[in-house]
Structures are given as C-alpha cells and as structure tokens.
Amino acid sequence: MYTGIIDRYRDYLPLRRQARVISLHEGNTPLIRLDTIAAQLNRGVELYAKFEGLNPTGSFKDRGMTVAITHALDEGSRAVICASTGNTSASAAAYAARAGIRCFVIIPEGKIALGKLAQAMMHGAVVIQIAGNFDDGMRLVKEVAEQTSLTIVNSINPFRLQGQKTVSFEISDALGRAPDYHCLPVGNAGNISAHWMGYSEYLQKGVIDAPPVMCGYQAAGAAPFVLGHKVDQPETIATAIRIGNPQSWDKAWDAQKRSEGWFDKFSDEEILQTQGLLAQRAGIFCEPASAVALAGAMRDITTAKIPAGSCVVCTLTGHGLKDPDIAIKQSRAPMIKINAELNAVKKAILDHLA
Ligand code: AN7
C-alpha cells in the first residue's frame, strides 16, 4: 500500500527515524501525457503534466506539509502559523488537524479562492484575514513567530522544500530519466527551488544523468523574476501566485542559473485561455496559477526556445475545483435553460450537434 512521500523517500529526508509520521498519503500523483496538445504544437515534443492537484488537499503543498508538520510535532511544537494565498493554508490546516495541533493562517482578505478558504475553515484553522497582500502576511508571520512559540510552516521552513523536492524524484522514477525541460509556475519561489533540489540530489546520487532546464513562469502583474526586482502591488487573477516579494529569491535564481533556464510572464487572459485549453483538450482541470506552466511550455516550444523533440514536464500545481468562481465566469460553455420537456431537450441537443 502506498503511504505517502515520507515512507517512499525516507532516505532522502532529514527526519528522525522515531518521528511519528503525519501523512495523508500525499504524492504519487499521475504524470499524464498531453498528446493532443503536443500534436497541435507539431514540434515532436513529448509533453507531460505532473498533476499535483490530485494531492489530498488539492495542491503540491501537501508534499512539503507532511514533512514540516511531522518535524514540528517531533520537535514538540503545539501550534503552527503561515501566511498564504490559499493552498498553503488549506494544507497546513489539514495536516495540523491530523497531528492534533493548532493552526493559524494569515490570508489576504477577499483575495483567495473560495475552496481554499473553505478548506482552512473546515479543518479548524484560525483564519486571520488581513487588509493587505501575501507579502504583508509573510512579514507579519515572521514578526509574530519571533515573539511566540509558533512554528512557521511557510516554505522558509526548510522542511517544506525537503518534502516538495520529492516531485522531481517521482518524475525521474516514472520516466527513467529527468525531462529535458521542466516548466512550472513561480510565486513565492519555494517550489522551483524544491524541484531543483530534487533533481540535483538525484544527479548527485547517479539516479539521473542530467537535470532539466528549469523554466519558471509568472503572471504579468506579479512577475518579480522577470522584472528582476520586487513588485509592490502584485495583481493577477491567478491569486495563488499574487506575490511580489518571493521568499526563495536567491534559491530560485540559483536554479535558473545552474540549469541555464529562464523566467517569463503571461497575461491573465493567456493564463485563463490555457486553463480552458487543458480542461477542454486534455480533460485536466487545474487552477489558473497552474496553467501558466503550460502557457510557458507551449510558447517556448512554438518559438523553439525549447527545441523540437524535447521531453517536457509541466507541474500543474493545484486543482481547478479550488476556484469554481473563476471557472464559471470565464467558461464559454453553452448554458441552456429550458422547460422540463422532451422536445425542448431534443432541440437543445440538435442545436449543438450542428
Ligand atoms: C497552485 O499557498 O504561496 O512559487 O501561500 O498555490 O512555491 O510559491 C501558493 C503558491 C503555484 C507558487 N501554484 O508556488 C500559498 C502559495 C499554486 C500555488 C504556486 C502556489 P511557489
């Protein structure tokens, strides 16, 4: 039976043998071929989505949270805190509930997807909404943790990245090699740093021969890595990555430089278009922030920045069900309202078969 990333990759994780593992059997997510989309690009690429939306709380954060909460509990912590654009708070709340410890989450008021808020509340976290953005929340979390015994479970907690690096192990194990290019969204930049850490460790152990080129993509209104400096008022419909002051700034630049990769940005419209494309052509419903990974891969494959014939993996970081508001608002799917009569149903069907 599969029992989560700690049991699966324990030798690679800095946890005490005796530590009680707090797990929801996260990880082991599917690596799904995107053949229809790849064929459309017509560049002979092998294109995959690592669908992290299928983790227990619906995002990649669970990989990091199982390790962070396991270690926090092992150290005797009784309460954790994080700032969040939503997914970290959902994951922290769930794993803290499972561990039987308290959880405090600081979120930007009105700027997180409803599903994520529902998760944090349902799992019993204390939800603190601030009149500010994620970056304000992060600053406050650091300040309050200095004056209390709360454990920070944001990705500045090194155990978070340790857990999240296992995504690279899984991809390499599944492919029997690392991809040539790895595309993913970048917000606080923990995940790109963790991916790179995972590939680097597998390279060092000789499990893979070469690491991928790391391609990080941001929303145009929240693109500090593209601009080369912090952004004061980040703005994007992809609220998960509405971050202007990434905490893993140096680590992410290191990943970019060492892998000879790059950063790029996409408008909200391009992000939503790609989210729709994935849902309608590949059957995968990811959240807007995740779609930016495929938007980047598609653009860079088309322009041959990613060469023809490459093996490309996109990390789809979170599930589309987190944010049903956006999905319904942007969807152009026909919505037909009729009387409950056979003839009306037949007409609706015939109208759309044409
Ligand atoms: C779906 O939950 O920062 O670059 O507080 O939820 O590692 O920050 C979420 C980030 C990408 C960016 N995709 O990852 C939070 C939070 C989704 C996300 C990112 C996030 P990082």
Side-chain angles (χ1 to χ4, degrees):
M1 191 171 100
Y2 180 80
T3 52
I5 60 126
I6 293 179
D7 286 343
R8 175 75 180 81
Y9 293 110
R10 188 128 199 172
D11 292 345
Y12 290 88
L13 297 170
L15 292 167
R16 290 198 318 139
R17 281 278 149 199
Q18 314 88 297
R20 177 184 150 216
V21 174
I22 305 301
S23 170
L24 288 161
H25 300 195
E26 58 295 309
N28 197 27
T29 55
L31 187 64
I32 306 169
R33 280 186 76 120
L34 303 179
D35 285 341
T36 306
I37 293 170
Q40 182 189 326
L41 295 171
N42 200 22
R43 303 275 308 165
V45 292
E46 205 179 306
L47 184 62
Y48 295 89
K50 179 69 168 165
F51 192 19
E52 290 289 280
L54 292 183
N55 275 295
T57 77
S59 86
F60 70 95
K61 306 285 182 183
D62 295 342
R63 292 180 187 275
M65 209 53 75
T66 181
V67 179
I69 297 287
T70 294
H71 182 256
L73 194 69
D74 193 41
E75 276 196 326
S77 174
R78 300 303 307 154
V80 298
I81 187 167
C82 64
S84 182
T85 57
N87 279 324
T88 299
S89 69
S91 186
Y95 283 82
R98 198 159 172 82
I101 61 179
R102 301 297 304 272
C103 179
F104 298 87
V105 306
I106 297 188
I107 58 170
E109 187 181 355
K111 291 290 184 182
I112 84 167
L114 216 55
K116 303 172 187 179
L117 180 62
Q119 288 178 289
M121 293 172 70
M122 195 67 193
H123 290 301
V126 176
V127 178
I128 303 166
Q129 305 212 27
I130 56 166
N133 59 30
F134 170 85
D135 303 304
D136 297 316
M138 198 62 243
R139 172 177 49 80
L140 291 165
V141 160
K142 287 196 233 173
E143 285 170 11
V144 81
E146 251 172 45
Q147 296 171 25
T148 62
S149 60
L150 297 175
T151 303
I152 299 178
V153 290
N154 280 105
S155 55
I156 57 172
N157 176 332
F159 291 88
R160 278 278 311 281
L161 298 196
Q162 288 292 328
Q164 284 170 216
K165 76 186 177 186
T166 59
V167 70
S168 302
F169 298 167
E170 285 181 14
I171 292 163
S172 305
D173 290 346
L175 295 174
R177 51 166 290 193
D180 299 311
Y181 293 81
H182 194 127
C183 304
L184 77 168
V186 176
N188 211 21
N191 211 26
I192 190 170
S193 307
H195 275 67
W196 180 246
M197 192 191 297
Y199 285 123
S200 300
E201 285 183 23
Y202 255 25
L203 182 67
Q204 207 185 358
K205 286 253 155 71
V207 184
I208 56 173
D209 296 331
V213 174
M214 301 302 299
C215 313
Y217 302 105
Q218 304 205 280
F225 285 103
V226 182
L227 299 171
H229 58 78
K230 290 162 194 172
V231 174
D232 270 346
Q233 302 287 340
E235 208 47 83
T236 169
I237 199 158
T239 51
I241 51 173
R242 187 173 170 270
I243 296 170
N245 182 13
Q247 297 299 302
S248 294
W249 183 253
D250 294 338
K251 286 194 182 76
W253 281 115
D254 186 64
Q256 178 267 324
K257 290 199 182 89
R258 286 179 195 269
S259 76
E260 297 177 18
W262 57 82
F263 296 106
D264 206 344
K265 61 182 164 52
F266 289 85
S267 70
D268 283 357
E269 200 187 321
E270 290 170 305
I271 290 171
L272 292 179
Q273 242 171 30
T274 310
Q275 186 196 18
L277 179 90
L278 258 170
Q280 286 143 38
R281 293 279 168 76
I284 298 173
F285 187 17
C286 69
E287 62 176 286
S290 311
V292 79
L294 182 67
M298 287 175 66
R299 178 193 281 173
D300 291 338
I301 289 166
T302 303
T303 61
K305 196 168 181 184
I306 294 176
S310 298
C311 174
V312 183
V313 171
C314 299
T315 303
L316 301 182
T317 45
H319 204 292
L321 286 173
K322 297 258 188 184
D323 201 345
D325 288 356
I326 288 291
I328 291 169
K329 257 185 233 153
Q330 75 132 326
S331 172
R332 277 175 230 115
M335 182 71 77
I336 302 151
K337 291 191 181 175
I338 53 166
N339 292 328
E341 290 166 2
L342 178 59
N343 279 338
V345 175
K346 276 162 75 178
K347 182 176 183 311
I349 291 170
L350 286 173
D351 284 352
H352 284 87
L353 279 177

